[in-house]
Each structure stands twice: as structure tokens, then as C-alpha cells.
Amino acid sequence: MKTTRRSFIQKTALLTGVFSLGFDWFDSKASTGAIQQMNPVLDANRFNAYLAIENTGKVILYSPNPEIGQGIKTAFPIVVAEELDVDWKQVEVRQAHLDTQLFERQLTGGSGALKHSWDRLRKAGATARHMLVQAAAQQWSVDPSTCKTSKGFVIGPNKGQKLAYGALVDAAAKLPVPAEVAYKSRAEYQLIGSFVKGVDNHRVLTGKPQYGLDTQRPGMVIAQIVRPAAFGATLTSFDASEVKKMPGIIDVVSFKNKVAVVGKSTWEVMQARKKLVCNYSDTSNLESDSTHQKWFDEGMKTDKVKVERKDGDFHAAIAKAAKVIEATYECPFLSHSPMEPMNFFADVKPGSVLLVGPTQVPQSAQKAVATLLGVPENTVQVELTKMGGGFGRRLNNDYALEAAELSSIIKMPVKVMWTREDDMTGGIYRPAVRYHFKAGLNEKGEMIAFYLRGVGLNAGNSTRQDNFPVGAIDNVLIESYNYNSAITTGPWRAPITNFLASAEQSFLDEVAVAAGKDPVQMRLDWLQRVKTNPVGKITYEPDRFIEVIKQVAEKAKWGKKGPNVHQGFSVYFSHLSYVAQVAEAKIVDGEPKVTHVTAVTDCGEVINRSGAENQVIGGIIDGYGHAMFGKLSFDKGVPQQKNFDTYKLIRGNEIPTVEAHFVNNGIAPTGLGEPALPPTGGAVANALYAATKKRLYKQPFAGLDNANL
């Protein structure tokens, strides 16, 4: 790979014995070298991140992306260590804090980090390895091509020629950065694709402080904030007279429709807020479940929709169809419910702002706080902590803004802490959506027309108009309609597709039954059509679709498990990855039970097999549990579920076994944190249909009337 001046900068600290090689995580181009003294800390301003090698042989890698459980803090260094050819035990990973001079796209979201940084990471390791080999070859007066590396050593062609990387850092630092470097072949990989433990596992298991809730700073006070119980309500007055009499309470302040109770300890604040009396505007006309049903009904009838895609003439084709299949699907609002509730620390002083906490988008938090306080962005420092889950909730910085604004009011460093009830009733939910599908078949059972309308509540475009089976059908019409609701929403793991895939894959199963076709073969036939004669724009690769479908059918023994095992199939493309699933259901004590799920994923090169399996299995469990049980309901703007006693998450004894397989194709990595979730609801619904002959149209599946809406 050719280099330019922008991305690579070589720096050395001869006095400290550290060779630091800077590299741009978001630009695969590299720069010529420059030698100067520096400390092994993030104080450079010419590059986004760097690799450091100490005289001891320790390799230090700064990871810019927030770690939220997706394993990026382990996967990134695996790639660098592989190309560097160093013993994994020599690698130390450190979390980098926000630095807009060093990093671009310093965020976690969209399952895009590895895809974006794959070549940058490889270049970092391979370039350092090349320079270390050059240094050793010069010392031995041999041709560098006769040298090789292994686990942190350079080995020469002659007997006894073996030097540790740590012994070469001073010499390597004086060499020019190469214009081109060679990468390892896949056959040479020792770390990539293997099972590697998470770098933070021991700290997690032993309870070491690392999460936002663990934050402690000198002079810090604790605050909890009381928000309106009903979405759309307005605070009219409050009485804090009793609160201020309670032990440990420092202040009670109101801002932006909220009241904050500030005190010396968490317990004292929690007890005091119970005494706070808040009065709100009339809530009798605020949204309830019945309001949302009315909106859905209206949205399905309105002619004021947005046409997202139109191929051919759907209306003419459906009028000529020999058979028409229609179905309507609906999902509720969902809470993200991360294990660690929202929290953030802020210390606002004249000329500086310090923010510490769990955010998926630190630069967004920096900008938002700077705007709120009217200060320059470069005066706002953001330190990242590990996150106890997020699932998209921490893409919104409302809780960081609360901490910053409160600190500016009380003139003290403060940690704002949400309770579980605050977290579940505080908004930023998965949007509620209703979908209506219609398909027309000709006399041969071939689909000639396909229609989808999505009606969402704060969902924007609730469709994905270019997704399969679009591209295989001559006549397609896809429409969307959005209602603005007072109930706040935001990205929820695999935004939109988390339910769209479930509805679509359930509907296609119904189409297959109506057409008298095998659900797997029907999709394979459509994909062959896409390969030879696609209709309109396609954004997916049919061959990769075909491969995951064939592999999952083989590994799950599709159609060969016997009469007592009822199978459901689903396949979906999201975040540039492809996942096919087969769910199995059995009748146990007269009731259907999902017992097993087989999944085949094409996410390109699998970096850490352990992390990859965790992401797929976790995504499937998450998708299955929320499809079966997840639901937020509302009465006059008030969420009716406030904690896990009424908002059910899947229990351990309800989890099916999950078998995760991966396509071994060597393609550059694509998304993995989200793609396994969307197809799960459809596979489960189809398996339950196979077991009971009853279709499921409304989530959650358990305990609801699931007649076709």
C-alpha cells in the first residue's frame, strides 16, 4: 500500500526507550517519517492513534472507539498484533479518551468500526514489523528478505541471530517509514480467527472500577433528576421544603422541565427525592395505547404517504394476480434496558469542562455540551468509561447534557445517576411500528407483485426500500408514513430492521405456503433472478445471500429432522452482513417451545472467534427475548412498565441453544454487533407456525391475541 505524508508519523523517545508509530485509524494512507522526542502518551497532533513498543517488548495500543460490550477493544489490537507478529501476551490495550485532533469517527454505532479500520490496523502492525526487520538486518549486515519474525522476535538467516523487538526499538525509530509494506497472507494468521479472551474480562469478573457508575472525583456530589412521569407533561411548580431538611442534601434546583436533588451520597439523594412534590399540567389528553392504535389505523388508510420505491406497476400487477396474500404486523415501543442505567459526571469551571462517563458518541457529547454552555469545543474534555450495555441508547447524550447543565448551575462537580425506573421511563425508546404487506402470485405460484407500507411513531422512514426481495420482483411499491409522538425514540439495536425483518420474513413464509413452495428454495430462486436479471437498484450481493442460505440449510438439516421438530427459516442483510437462521420448535407438555437456533453469518473475516460467537448468540437471544416478551404500554403519557417485574426480559431457562457458524471467505470485515438480531423474530415465528399452524402478527408473541391485524 502506497504511503503519503498525512497518516503515518514516526516518533521516538530514545530517553524513554519507546518506539511509537502513529497511524490514522480512518485513512489508509501513510506519511513519511519524522524523528522527535516524545513521551509515550497521546500528546501528538499529527495523527489519530499510534502503536508503541517499549524496550521491554511490551506493545501498547490505544483504542479510540468506546467499548460497549461489542468486543472492539479486543478485536482492534488482535489485527495489529497479527501483522506485527507479536505474542498476544505482550500486548496492552488502553482506552483513548476523546481527542478530535487525533481521531475521526470516534464512536460506537452501526456495527461499522472494524470495517472502517481494517486496513488502517493492518498497516500499523505491518509497518512496525517491517521497520524492526530492517533494523535487525542492518545490525547483522544481512538482506532483510532473509529475516523472519515470530512472536516478538526478528530471526536472522544465520545461527544465533535472534533479537527481541524491544532490543530494536531505538534503531527502528531512526529508519524512514516505508512507502509500501506487505501484509500477511491468511494462511499465516495465528491470532485472527482464533479464540481470544476479552482484554477486560478479568477486570469485569473481579469488579474493578471501570464503568461510569464507578466514577469518583474530588469534591464530587451526587444528583438524581425527577422528570415528568408523562410524556408531554409540563412542570408547573414543585415543593422541596421537606427535601431540604433531610440529611446530606445540598440543594434542589429546577431546569428545563426537571427538578434535580443534589446531595452527598446516593442513598441520601434517593431517600430525599421521595419527599419531592411536583405539579404538572393537565395530562388527560396525552397519548395512550389507544391513541397509537388510532394513528396506525389512520396511517394505513392515508394517501399522504412517501413513496420510498417503485418498480414496474404494482397496482396493475396485483389486479391480474391469480392469488393475493395480505398480512399486517405490529411491534410496541421497547426500552433499551442496559444493565448499567444512564449516568454521567460533569465538572464545569470557568474556561474548562470535564465530562466523564459512558457514551457511544463522545464527540457528539462534546459538541452538544459546548453549544449548551456557549463555550469553545476545545475547552470540553471527554473521558470515556466502559459501558454496561447500550444497544443504541447511549447514542443520545441527554444524560450527559443534564450533568453538564446541572454542574454549571450548582458550580460543583456532579455525577448524575439514573435509577432503573428513571432509565425505563425516561424515553429514547425503540419506535412502535405497523407494517402491511401484500403479494400477488401468478398461476405458477410466482410472485409478480410486492407491496409494503410502514407506519411508524417517531420512526422516520420505517422501511428499508432496497432490501431483498426487492430486486427479484418486477412490480414493487414501498411506502412509509410517520407520526410525530411526544414519546421520545432513538436507535435500538439494528434500528428499524429489528422488527421489519421479523415481519417481512414471516410474511415471505406465508407467501411460500400459499405458493406451495419450500421457503428456502423460493428465496434461492429469487436470488438467481437477481444475479441474472435484477430489477432496479440492488444494494446487496446475491452470492453472499445464497451462501449463508445453503450453509444454514445443510447445518440445520432443513426438512430432515422428523415430524416432531418444526423448523422456521429466515435470512436477512443488514450492516453489510448476511445472516441466515433456522429455528426449531417442539411441542412440550402441549405447548410449543423454541429449543434450538442454527445461524450462519457472513461478516467477512472473523477477527476474534470468541467475540464473534458472543455477538451472534447474544443477538439471537436478544431478538428472541424481545420478540416473545418485550413491551412498553402507555396510559395518558405514562409508561406502565417501570422495572423488570413488569417489563419482562428473557430468563435463563427460556433461552434455546444456539449454534453459530461463519462463512470463511476472507472478505474484509463487515458489521457483527447487530446483524444476527433482525432475522431471529421471523425464524422463531415461522417455527412456531410450523408447530401450531397459527401465524404470529404482533409482538410480543407471548400472551397476546395474534390474529391478523
Side-chain angles (χ1 to χ4, degrees):
M1 299 181 67
K2 294 184 178 180
T3 61
T4 66
R5 187 169 177 76
R6 182 174 187 275
S7 308
F8 260 107
I9 224 170
Q10 175 194 357
K11 293 178 179 265
T12 181
L14 300 180
L15 298 178
T16 58
V18 179
F19 167 39
S20 295
L21 187 66
F23 60 97
D24 188 332
W25 296 72
F26 306 106
D27 185 348
S28 60
K29 298 175 182 177
S31 70
T32 55
I35 298 176
Q36 56 183 294
Q37 289 188 349
M38 67 173 292
N39 291 320
V41 295
L42 286 173
D43 60 1
N45 57 18
R46 293 270 313 166
F47 50 88
N48 281 345
Y50 64 90
L51 165 69
I53 305 175
E54 296 181 349
N55 285 139
T56 61
K58 179 191 287 186
V59 178
I60 302 170
L61 179 67
Y62 287 85
S63 181
N65 292 61
E67 173 60 51
I68 199 169
Q70 83 281 33
I72 204 70
K73 195 175 175 183
T74 303
F76 271 23
I78 285 175
V79 179
V80 178
E82 182 68 78
E83 290 293 348
L84 182 60
D85 202 7
V86 67
D87 191 323
W88 180 247
K89 295 177 182 178
Q90 295 174 266
V91 175
E92 177 183 327
V93 184
R94 299 178 184 174
Q95 178 69 58
H97 297 312
L98 177 68
D99 193 317
T100 56
Q101 297 300 312
L102 298 180
F103 302 104
E104 301 169 25
R105 199 188 179 277
Q106 195 176 357
L107 59 86
T108 292
S111 300
L114 265 173
K115 176 183 180 298
H116 208 278
S117 301
W118 168 242
D119 280 335
R120 291 82 171 164
L121 297 167
R122 297 172 76 194
K123 181 184 287 289
T127 301
R129 173 166 49 88
H130 177 96
M131 296 171 72
L132 291 162
V133 168
Q134 293 287 324
Q138 286 186 8
Q139 186 169 328
W140 295 324
S141 298
V142 300
D143 187 336
S145 66
T146 64
C147 300
K148 61 181 181 179
T149 58
S150 177
K151 294 186 175 181
F153 290 89
V154 180
I155 302 169
N158 302 317
K159 185 176 182 180
Q161 290 180 334
K162 183 177 182 180
L163 287 171
Y165 286 174
L168 294 165
V169 294
D170 292 350
K174 300 173 184 177
L175 299 176
V177 176
E180 297 181 2
V181 292
Y183 293 158
K184 283 186 176 183
S185 68
R186 294 188 75 221
E188 296 176 286
Y189 286 168
Q190 295 180 325
L191 275 174
I192 291 177
S194 67
F195 289 83
V196 180
K197 296 177 182 178
V199 295
D200 287 333
N201 282 7
H202 186 264
R203 291 179 59 81
V204 172
L205 292 170
T206 55
K208 296 294 189 298
Q210 57 186 331
Y211 296 94
L213 283 173
D214 297 320
T215 301
Q216 297 290 335
R217 295 297 167 101
M220 183 185 81
V221 296
I222 301 295
Q224 290 190 355
I225 296 176
V226 177
R227 303 162 191 86
F231 288 92
T234 301
L235 178 70
T236 56
S237 64
F238 69 95
D239 182 358
S241 55
E242 293 300 315
V243 176
K244 293 180 178 180
K245 297 176 183 177
M246 298 189 69
I249 298 306
I250 297 170
D251 203 353
V252 180
V253 298
S254 175
F255 63 100
K256 291 186 178 171
N257 214 31
K258 306 168 186 178
V259 181
V261 179
V262 183
K264 297 178 180 178
S265 72
T266 305
W267 180 253
E268 288 171 325
V269 170
M270 290 179 68
Q271 297 308 303
R273 73 178 285 186
K274 296 176 183 178
K275 301 292 186 179
L276 184 67
V277 177
C278 294
N279 300 304
Y280 296 95
S281 59
D282 180 26
T283 61
S284 59
N285 293 321
L286 299 182
E287 297 171 33
S288 297
D289 287 354
S290 58
T291 313
H292 301 149
Q293 291 301 308
K294 177 185 176 184
W295 288 351
F296 281 145
D297 292 343
E298 292 173 349
M300 284 297 163
K301 298 174 183 177
T302 184
D303 58 359
K304 297 179 181 179
V305 295
K306 181 181 179 182
V307 175
E308 303 291 352
R309 178 158 179 156
K310 185 178 185 294
D311 295 331
D313 189 335
F314 168 79
H315 294 294
I318 202 73
K320 297 177 182 178
K323 184 180 290 188
V324 175
I325 305 97
E326 293 187 74
T328 303
Y329 302 82
E330 186 178 306
C331 70
F333 290 99
L334 288 181
S335 168
H336 294 80
S337 297
M339 188 58 68
E340 179 189 21
M342 300 302 105
N343 64 91
F344 227 77
F345 168 87
D347 186 5
V348 179
K349 298 177 179 178
S352 71
V353 178
L354 174 61
L355 303 175
V356 183
T359 173
Q360 294 178 239
V361 282
Q363 187 172 0
S364 173
Q366 181 191 53
K367 290 182 177 180
V369 168
T371 300
L372 171 73
L373 301 178
V375 300
E377 286 182 24
N378 61 8
T379 65
V380 181
Q381 178 185 353
V382 183
E383 295 183 4
L384 304 181
T385 65
K386 192 176 180 68
M387 286 173 267
F391 312 108
R393 175 62 180 89
R394 289 184 162 100
L395 290 169
N396 192 293
N397 284 305
D398 54 313
Y399 54 99
L401 288 167
E402 287 180 340
E405 186 164 7
L406 181 57
S407 177
S408 72
I409 293 170
I410 63 175
K411 311 299 182 186
M412 303 176 74
V414 61
K415 180 167 66 176
V416 171
M417 302 175 65
W418 293 38
T419 64
R420 174 60 59 198
E421 290 79 6
D422 292 334
D423 199 75
M424 194 167 289
T425 62
I428 320 296
Y429 302 125
R430 193 276 299 273
V433 182
R434 182 184 286 184
Y435 293 111
H436 182 71
F437 291 86
K438 184 184 291 187
L441 306 179
N442 63 16
E443 293 81 359
K444 298 179 182 179
E446 299 168 336
M447 194 194 298
I448 59 171
F450 179 76
Y451 172 81
L452 166 62
R453 175 177 289 197
V455 178
L457 308 183
N458 288 349
N461 176 12
S462 55
T463 73
R464 290 295 180 264
Q465 63 272 13
D466 296 327
N467 274 13
F468 180 76
V470 168
I473 313 301
D474 288 323
N475 303 286
V476 170
L477 180 60
I478 298 180
E479 303 168 333
S480 72
Y481 189 78
N482 184 64
Y483 273 95
N484 294 320
S485 167
I487 297 170
T488 56
T489 63
W492 191 95
R493 194 175 189 178
I496 300 300
T497 61
N498 54 62
F499 178 65
L500 173 59
S502 174
E504 175 198 275
Q505 294 298 304
S506 298
F507 179 67
L508 294 183
D509 194 74
E510 197 163 345
V511 170
V513 172
K517 296 179 180 292
D518 177 81
V520 170
Q521 189 59 49
M522 181 180 74
R523 289 170 175 82
L524 290 174
D525 292 343
W526 286 344
L527 288 163
Q528 286 298 328
R529 162 72 191 280
V530 175
K531 288 182 62 176
T532 59
N533 187 24
V535 180
K537 174 186 176 182
I538 61 169
T539 58
Y540 53 86
E541 299 177 57
D543 284 330
R544 296 178 73 180
F545 250 128
I546 290 169
E547 186 62 26
V548 293
I549 291 172
K550 287 183 175 180
Q551 285 201 27
V552 83
E554 176 187 354
K555 295 182 184 300
K557 297 181 173 58
W558 173 256
K560 300 176 182 178
K561 286 291 187 80
N564 297 323
V565 178
H566 308 279
Q567 294 180 311
F569 171 76
S570 178
V571 64
Y572 208 70
F573 164 71
S574 68
H575 300 87
L576 302 179
S577 293
Y578 303 76
V579 183
Q581 296 179 13
V582 173
E584 297 178 4
K586 296 179 180 179
I587 302 299
V588 179
D589 298 328
E591 297 292 332
K593 181 178 181 180
V594 177
T595 57
H596 187 75
V597 178
T598 303
V600 173
T601 300
D602 177 358
C603 60
E605 192 76 71
V606 174
I607 306 304
N608 179 8
R609 184 61 184 259
S610 175
E613 288 189 1
N614 282 336
Q615 288 303 299
V616 171
I617 294 171
I620 289 171
I621 293 171
D622 201 10
Y624 174 54
H626 282 93
M628 291 297 296
F629 309 116
K631 178 180 173 62
L632 274 175
S633 56
F634 295 85
D635 182 27
K636 297 178 181 178
V638 179
Q640 298 303 289
Q641 293 76 28
K642 296 177 172 57
N643 208 318
F644 295 131
D645 56 338
T646 52
Y647 185 85
K648 183 177 178 181
L649 295 180
I650 192 168
R651 269 55 169 177
N653 63 353
E654 295 165 330
I655 295 174
T657 56
V658 180
E659 188 180 333
H661 303 275
F662 298 90
V663 175
N664 183 19
N665 55 20
I667 296 172
T670 50
L672 193 55
E674 296 165 282
L677 187 149
T680 304
V684 166
N686 295 337
L688 293 172
Y689 167 77
T692 65
K693 301 307 175 187
K694 294 180 180 178
R695 291 287 178 187
L696 299 171
Y697 296 101
K698 193 172 184 179
Q699 289 188 3
F701 297 152
L704 286 178
D705 177 8
N706 259 287
N708 193 335
L709 298 169

